[in-house]
Every structure is written in structure tokens, then in C-alpha cells.
């Protein structure tokens, strides 16, 4: 579940980079470490507890079925993510799962947003 989510995040991030013509290489060591760190931090949000517990349910470790949830990719890159950035007022591409505010690529991914 986590690997699939990480892959879909990576694909979505790359498509944003291509569409906005941002010079950023996800495959560079420092950028990859930032990406994994930020993704791990985002997955710890209360909003995604159902998503995380679903992996344990599907694997047979628990018998309690979690409540319906929105996937991290759908929430962070879905509706509401294309608004003015909360920090710099440029067009955002990501919605933070913790503070629930939209952020541009530079403010969220480059500067490792922590609210």
C-alpha cells in the first residue's frame, strides 16, 4: 500500500514538474531524501489514519475494517490544491494534509514544509 502510494506521488510530482517547467530532478540524492522524508511526514497526518490502517486490515493483521478514506494522492493533488499558495501567493500544486492549506512547489517540496 505504501509503495503504491509512493509511486503514484512520484508520478504526479514528475507530471507537475513537466507541466510547470520546473528545473528539479527527483532522482538526485538530496531531492530524493527530501521527497521520502516529506512523504513519510505527510502519511503521519491524522487524515490518513484510515489509509494506513487499511494496509493492516488488507494484510490480515487486524479484523477491524477502517472507515472510508480519501487516498493521500487524491487529497494532496486533488481539488483544492490548485489555489493561491498560503505563503507566497503563487499558484499552488499541493495541499498539506496537516494544516489543510495549499502550497506551491517551492514552499512545500523545496523548503520541506512543516506546519
Amino acid at each position: 500500500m505504501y509503495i503504491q502510494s509512493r509511486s503514484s506521488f512520484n508520478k504526479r510530482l514528475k507530471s507537475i514538474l513537466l507541466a510547470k517547467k520546473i528545473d528539479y530532478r527527483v532522482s538526485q540524492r538530496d531531492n530524493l531524501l527530501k521527497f521520502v522524508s516529506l512523504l513519510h511526514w505527510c502519511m503521519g497526518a491524522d487524515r490518513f489514519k484510515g489509509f494506513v490502517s487499511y494496509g493492516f486490515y488488507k494484510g490480515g493483521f487486524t479484523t477491524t475494517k477502517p472507515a472510508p478514506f480519501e487516498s493521500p494522492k487524491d487529497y494532496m493533488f486533488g481539488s483544492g490544491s490548485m489555489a493561491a499558495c498560503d505563503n507566497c501567493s503563487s499558484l499552488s500544486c499541493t495541499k498539506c494534509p496537516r494544516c489543510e492549506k495549499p502550497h506551491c512547489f517551492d514552499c512545500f517540496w523545496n523548503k520541506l514544509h512543516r506546519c
Side-chain angles (χ1 to χ4, degrees):
M1 200 75 180
Y2 177 79
I3 299 297
Q4 182 182 10
S5 180
R6 186 182 61 86
S7 297
S8 65
F9 260 73
N10 198 6
K11 287 178 186 176
R12 180 66 177 140
L13 187 62
K14 285 180 181 179
S15 68
I16 289 170
L17 294 173
L18 286 172
K20 294 189 175 199
K21 297 180 179 146
I22 298 172
D23 186 26
Y24 185 86
R25 295 191 56 180
V26 179
S27 60
Q28 285 182 338
R29 182 176 177 249
D30 290 341
N31 294 343
L32 189 58
L33 290 171
K34 282 183 189 179
F35 172 75
V36 171
S37 171
L38 195 57
L39 181 61
H40 180 75
W41 180 78
C42 288
M43 290 295 189
D46 289 338
R47 167 175 292 285
F48 300 137
K49 282 187 178 181
F51 175 78
V52 173
S53 63
Y54 182 75
F56 287 96
Y57 170 74
K58 200 68 171 156
F61 296 106
T62 61
T63 57
T64 308
K65 188 172 182 174
F69 58 87
E70 188 174 16
S71 74
K73 181 186 145 211
D74 291 343
Y75 177 78
M76 292 180 67
F77 299 116
S79 64
S81 65
M82 296 295 182
C85 177
D86 191 55
N87 296 333
C88 66
S89 299
S90 64
L91 184 63
S92 68
C93 64
T94 307
K95 189 174 179 183
C96 177
R98 292 185 185 245
C99 66
E100 300 182 358
K101 295 178 182 172
H103 297 283
C104 68
F105 178 82
D106 190 49
C107 293
F108 194 80
W109 296 99
N110 271 344
K111 296 178 183 173
L112 284 176
H113 170 74
R114 298 285 196 259
C115 46

